[in-house]
Amino acid sequence: MAAGSKPGAEQGLASTEARGQLPEAAKRTDGSPNPATAPRVEVKRNGPHGAMEMTDQEGQLAKVTPATPSAGAPAGVDEQFWKLLIPRDNELNAKRVELGRKLYFDTRLSRDGTVACATCHDVSRGFTDRRNASEGISAKVGRRNAPTTLNAVFFQTQFWDGRAATLEDQAKLPIINPIEMGQPDGAAAVKAIAGDAEYKAMFQAAYGRAPNYDDVGRALAAFERTLVFLDAPYDRFVAGNPAALSEDAKAGLVLFNGKARCVACHQFNGSSPIGTNNKFHNIGVSARHHDFEKLARNALDALAKSDSQETVDRLALETDLSELGRFVVTRNRADIGAFKTQQIRNIGVTSPYMHDGSLQTLWDVVDHYNKGGEANGYLDGGIEPLNLSEREIDQVVAFLFSLTDVRLAAENQAEITRQTALARKQRPFRDTAVATRKTIQFETRLGKAGATK
């Protein structure tokens, strides 16, 4: 049992599910069951759960990363800053990276042998799974969209709600989550690979000891720290090549730093090369469907029984409490509905967007911000209508597509084509009246509330 958990709480939750009943937190806000539904966006591959076969993914990886990554700072990253990102008990070396790479693609780490890290962080899909919410063992679908593992080293916390402090912690939690990789505990995961003579030798070479769960997390984190993709047309433009960006992308950059206000949360600087402030904000993504006050009360009840890291992990992935975001971690009212500012590096190839994958294209993303998000009592004060024209929206989108690493240029172009076609058919989050303040969201909601009385 993890530190901070209360005796018997974990067992109580498990016994309820064993009887085929849903705990209170796993029900909709109206009390009805809320089974996971099939995601709307999925790119089919030939492996389990729609992923590309692991051997094929490894071949794809070899095309975009060096066989022996350097332990030093990647190109464009300050050496001293890079050293701050590497924990003292897990310094990078070739043996640790090699072990982590092998583990990343190994489905034996899952209970039924069908899911690896690369299932939801597929090399062929921008190191995500291109689904609204990810599918784990036994076709179980969670509540969160899988962020890319590219550039994850630069985040100060991991997961959408920051519930893991390090990459090492993050790497271990999906393995023992019941609807992800499903192992009952870390010991079971280690047992699945410990008899492999190659693994025994690799763990010994990497960490000087036999296979163990903490070193599984360390090795996976070491490998993920090599997935630095920061060579985009934008970077080449900043470095002095004016031809690296189209005229629309250049105009989009001006808007990004000005009228569109993207830079308020998505800064690019020496300590944030991926365009995030590493903070948590309520931008109203979930406000269309959920009663935050009721969810918060349910969360406090659930956490009073157990506040272990494993419990928080399960509440985030298996229940409506997922929509509370950071609040489930901190229990601070200011964090209700708040999610981490995601990186915008390689954003062109990591659709769909937001914690629930509800925004299918970058046009949807800009439309959402243009109307000032969704009104709710916890909306971040910096979110307000932007009055961007259609031309300006197109330009911001053009700039966002310029943030994809050149090694993923073919995938980026394919996404430009796909998203452009989809945006021409549907723009469900466009609301010009609200974006131009001809209509005020709170007034509209109050009017609807009054009409129902």
Side-chain angles (χ1 to χ4, degrees):
M1 188 176 295
S5 62
K6 294 179 174 57
E10 291 290 334
Q11 292 90 328
L13 182 60
S15 64
T16 301
E17 291 178 340
R19 293 194 298 269
Q21 301 172 5
L22 289 169
E24 283 300 312
K27 298 178 181 178
R28 295 186 189 275
T29 53
D30 63 3
S32 62
N34 191 7
T37 56
R40 295 187 296 276
V41 171
E42 181 179 356
V43 178
K44 290 289 186 183
R45 296 294 189 274
N46 56 355
H49 307 283
M52 178 179 277
E53 289 284 3
M54 296 301 150
T55 53
D56 294 337
Q57 284 198 52
E58 291 181 76
Q60 291 278 94
L61 180 68
K63 296 177 182 178
V64 295
T65 58
T68 307
S70 169
V77 179
D78 179 77
E79 188 73 39
Q80 294 305 311
F81 174 55
W82 181 249
K83 288 179 180 179
L84 295 175
L85 302 176
I86 312 299
R88 292 183 179 180
D89 67 345
N90 197 24
E91 293 184 1
L92 281 181
N93 62 49
K95 297 296 184 184
R96 291 173 178 179
V97 172
E98 182 184 15
L99 173 59
R101 183 187 293 113
K102 182 176 174 65
L103 289 166
Y104 187 86
F105 295 104
D106 198 334
T107 57
R108 287 179 291 178
L109 288 178
S110 66
R111 187 168 190 167
D112 65 359
T114 67
V115 179
C117 301
T119 302
C120 297
H121 302 285
D122 187 331
V123 176
S124 71
R125 297 185 287 190
F127 293 76
T128 69
D129 58 9
R130 297 275 180 88
R131 301 167 66 112
N132 292 27
S134 296
E135 180 183 305
I137 64 168
S138 305
K140 297 175 182 177
V141 180
R143 303 297 182 89
R144 295 271 174 92
N145 174 263
T148 181
T149 46
L150 296 177
N151 301 321
V153 60
F154 297 108
F155 280 117
Q156 293 175 4
T157 59
Q158 302 297 325
F159 294 118
W160 281 96
D161 51 20
R163 65 186 181 276
T166 67
L167 275 175
E168 283 77 3
D169 286 341
Q170 184 280 323
K172 292 187 293 183
L173 281 173
I175 298 173
I176 59 174
N177 184 282
I179 67 169
E180 292 189 278
M181 299 171 79
Q183 291 287 8
D185 51 41
V190 172
K191 184 178 179 180
I193 62 172
D196 186 315
E198 184 177 10
Y199 266 129
K200 289 180 181 178
M202 293 180 76
F203 273 90
Q204 189 65 40
Y207 293 103
R209 47 193 174 246
N212 65 87
Y213 197 49
D214 283 339
D215 285 344
V216 168
R218 289 189 183 98
L220 285 168
F223 166 65
E224 290 178 2
R225 288 190 175 98
T226 69
L227 300 177
V228 175
F229 279 57
L230 298 175
D231 184 12
Y234 163 75
D235 301 286
R236 299 185 177 194
F237 175 78
V238 171
N241 179 4
L245 293 185
S246 68
E247 292 306 311
D248 274 353
K250 291 175 185 176
L253 172 58
V254 174
L255 289 163
F256 181 94
N257 289 322
K259 181 179 178 180
R261 304 184 63 201
C262 310
V263 74
C265 296
H266 296 284
Q267 303 98 354
F268 288 103
N269 53 55
S271 61
S272 181
I274 58 175
T276 176
N277 60 6
N278 276 295
K279 295 180 180 179
F280 300 83
H281 301 281
N282 179 322
I283 61 171
V285 171
S286 303
R288 295 185 301 275
H289 311 297
H290 294 279
D291 179 343
F292 282 148
E293 286 287 340
K294 184 173 182 178
L295 286 180
R297 290 193 295 271
N298 290 344
L300 293 175
D301 289 343
L303 292 166
K305 300 173 184 176
S306 171
D307 59 359
S308 71
Q309 189 178 43
E310 290 82 2
T311 298
V312 172
D313 191 57
R314 295 193 62 180
L315 294 178
L317 294 181
E318 300 176 47
T319 76
D320 275 359
L321 303 187
S322 170
E323 305 304 332
L324 290 170
R326 184 69 170 164
F327 176 79
V328 177
V329 180
T330 66
R331 279 161 273 185
N332 183 339
R333 286 182 63 84
D335 288 328
I336 289 178
F339 292 87
K340 184 172 68 179
T341 302
Q342 282 297 320
Q343 65 171 308
I344 51 176
R345 288 287 186 174
N346 307 298
I347 193 171
V349 297
T350 57
S351 65
Y353 307 106
M354 303 302 175
H355 72 277
D356 57 358
S358 58
L359 308 188
Q360 305 300 306
T361 71
L362 287 174
W363 278 270
D364 288 344
V365 172
V366 181
D367 283 343
H368 174 86
Y369 284 111
N370 195 32
K371 66 177 183 176
E374 293 285 343
N376 70 90
Y378 301 93
L379 187 71
D380 190 278
I383 305 299
E384 60 182 54
L386 302 172
N387 193 24
L388 296 173
S389 68
E390 283 298 306
R391 178 68 172 148
E392 289 171 329
I393 291 171
D394 289 343
Q395 290 171 334
V396 172
V397 169
F399 171 67
L400 293 174
F401 274 115
S402 80
L403 296 170
T404 299
D405 192 285
V406 294
R407 287 169 285 180
L408 304 174
E411 294 92 330
N412 197 53
Q413 185 55 54
E415 272 296 286
I416 291 173
T417 301
R418 186 189 72 83
Q419 290 193 29
T420 299
L422 185 58
R424 285 173 178 166
K425 293 179 182 178
Q426 60 182 46
R427 295 277 292 279
F429 301 96
R430 178 169 53 184
D431 193 328
T432 303
V434 173
T436 57
R437 297 182 186 269
K438 292 179 180 177
T439 300
I440 306 299
Q441 284 202 60
F442 275 113
E443 291 180 354
T444 301
R445 288 202 166 200
L446 288 171
K448 289 180 179 177
T452 61
K453 291 182 179 179

